[in-house]
Amino acid sequence: MPDSGAISTDASEIRFAGFTLDLRQGRLWGATGDIPLRPKPFALLGYMVRHAGRVLSREELLDAVWPDVIVSEDSLSQCVHALRDGLGQAGPMLLKTVPRRGYLFDLPQAATLPAGISAGPMTEESSPYSPRQSSIAVLPFADMSPGGITSGS
């Protein structure tokens, strides 16, 4: 029977748009069987599905998937690309880029989520992730050329 696109759940499985995301086993599968995902794209998918219908900023997604590590937005972009590939033709329709705002996991109908999972906006108090801290590393410059710096006169 075709899936309407809405999310349906039991304690550990989330079903959406013909896919099943098993949070306990760390698996995603669709009509063609298992869809292999590396751990970070899987974590990103789990977070996005639980917050479907809401634009998620890049910063929020970085905090959710890499809570104790500072990574570039390129890591997030690579995960989004891996997810879209894994979801096949449905990928671009489900996982949308919202220019200058972030990403949206878009489903046509409202979701019912397992107990204890909030689909609403996360606040600092309700988030299981610590706030992201910005940092910068300043490294000394060293002349690595053979013979060192020479004067151009």
Side-chain angles (χ1 to χ4, degrees):
M1 171 160 43
D3 190 318
S4 66
I7 295 178
S8 64
T9 64
D10 67 19
S12 68
E13 291 183 356
I14 301 174
R15 290 179 202 78
F16 62 93
F19 297 94
T20 301
L21 179 65
D22 188 324
L23 300 171
R24 190 177 351 194
Q25 293 183 10
R27 293 177 54 205
L28 173 68
W29 66 92
T32 59
D34 272 336
I35 299 167
L37 287 178
R38 296 177 57 91
K40 291 302 183 183
F42 183 86
L44 178 64
L45 178 61
Y47 189 84
M48 293 187 81
V49 166
R50 289 188 305 264
H51 297 89
R54 181 167 70 85
V55 175
L56 303 169
S57 71
R58 288 170 182 81
E59 185 76 14
E60 179 180 351
L61 293 171
L62 288 168
D63 286 344
V65 179
W66 293 272
D68 298 321
V69 181
I70 304 287
V71 296
S72 72
E73 287 187 11
D74 187 53
S75 296
L76 177 59
S77 297
Q78 290 175 17
C79 281
V80 167
H81 181 75
L83 281 181
R84 285 183 178 143
D85 282 352
L87 295 169
Q89 290 181 335
M93 294 182 297
L94 291 171
L95 204 164
K96 296 180 178 176
T97 301
V98 181
R100 292 183 290 283
R101 293 188 55 213
Y103 295 97
L104 171 71
F105 198 82
D106 192 22
L107 292 174
Q109 299 177 359
T112 306
L113 299 174
I117 297 177
S118 167
M122 292 193 96
T123 64
E124 193 169 318
E125 295 79 34
S126 68
S127 173
Y129 308 104
S130 60
R132 185 174 193 78
Q133 290 185 313
S134 297
S135 64
I136 186 168
V138 179
L139 303 174
F141 289 97
D143 182 3
M144 303 299 286
S145 63
I149 297 177
T150 58
S151 145
S153 319

